[in-house]
Amino acid sequence: MNQLSFFSADTVPPEIADLDGLLAGPGQIAATADRARVSVVVDAQWRADAIASMIEDAGLVAEITRSDEGSPLVRTASVPELAVLAARWTRGAVKSVPVGWIPGPRALRAWALAAGRAENDGSRFVLDLDPHAPDTHPVLAQSLMRAGIAPTLFGTRGNQPGLRIVGHRRLTRLVENIGEPPAGAEAREAWPRV
């Protein structure tokens, strides 16, 4: 039986800052003068449904649609409440990790929902990074280390960069933070196992 951490994503109240986890992965933020919208393209409907639920738990409206390539796309409306998030995660028009950012449990869960995948029968877990924001990769590796989960950065010269988490202690710490997978066999298969 798994025992969840006192600070697991399942026990921490939702807030807009949880969406930081989408931006740590492939999520994008589009801002105007006083509004912003967060969006992320995912590879499975269960991911889109779970992310939409997180967005709504944070008090925003979520929309699920399809990308031009036919993949599920989840996005918020363009709202003033996300302007602060946009200011933290951009430098000019470029995605940038906020200085000193440490992902909390719900942000880690959002990242895992958007871009996490089990490898090697669950003995390793990868959090994919945004291939269009290479300057964020080493900073996000450091952020994850500060959260107590030391990853290995890989694929920085390819199309699918990521942070690989290996080892029982690290995977346990990750699972304690992100909580249980969403319902369904596909989600359980993609989730880390300890």
Side-chain angles (χ1 to χ4, degrees), residues 102-143:
I102 300 171
R106 290 186 63 83
L108 276 171
R109 183 174 180 82
W111 193 355
L113 288 170
R117 56 189 163 85
E119 287 184 333
N120 200 34
D121 293 327
S123 66
R124 301 185 305 212
F125 190 74
V126 172
L127 290 166
D128 286 333
L129 299 169
D130 186 344
H132 306 294
D135 292 343
T136 66
H137 302 169
V139 180
L140 287 166
Q142 291 173 349
S143 296

Side-chain angles (χ1 to χ4, degrees), residues 139-155:
V139 180
L140 287 166
Q142 291 173 349
S143 296
L144 201 54
M145 278 189 241
R146 285 194 300 269
I149 305 166
T152 301
L153 177 60
F154 72 94

Side-chain angles (χ1 to χ4, degrees), residues 43-130:
D43 62 5
Q45 189 62 44
W46 69 265
R47 292 182 189 276
D49 294 339
I51 291 167
S53 180
M54 278 193 88
I55 289 169
E56 290 172 354
D57 288 348
L60 302 172
V61 175
E63 176 187 16
I64 299 175
T65 184
R66 292 276 170 190
S67 70
D68 292 340
E69 296 78 26
S71 298
L73 176 130
V74 187
R75 63 183 172 204
T76 67
S78 183
V79 294
E81 292 89 340
L82 291 170
V84 172
L85 193 76
R88 280 198 338 253
W89 278 88
T90 54
R91 298 289 173 263
V94 177
K95 188 194 292 191
S96 178
V97 181
V99 174
W101 182 68
I102 300 171
R106 290 186 63 83
L108 276 171
R109 183 174 180 82
W111 193 355
L113 288 170
R117 56 189 163 85
E119 287 184 333
N120 200 34
D121 293 327
S123 66
R124 301 185 305 212
F125 190 74
V126 172
L127 290 166
D128 286 333
L129 299 169
D130 186 344

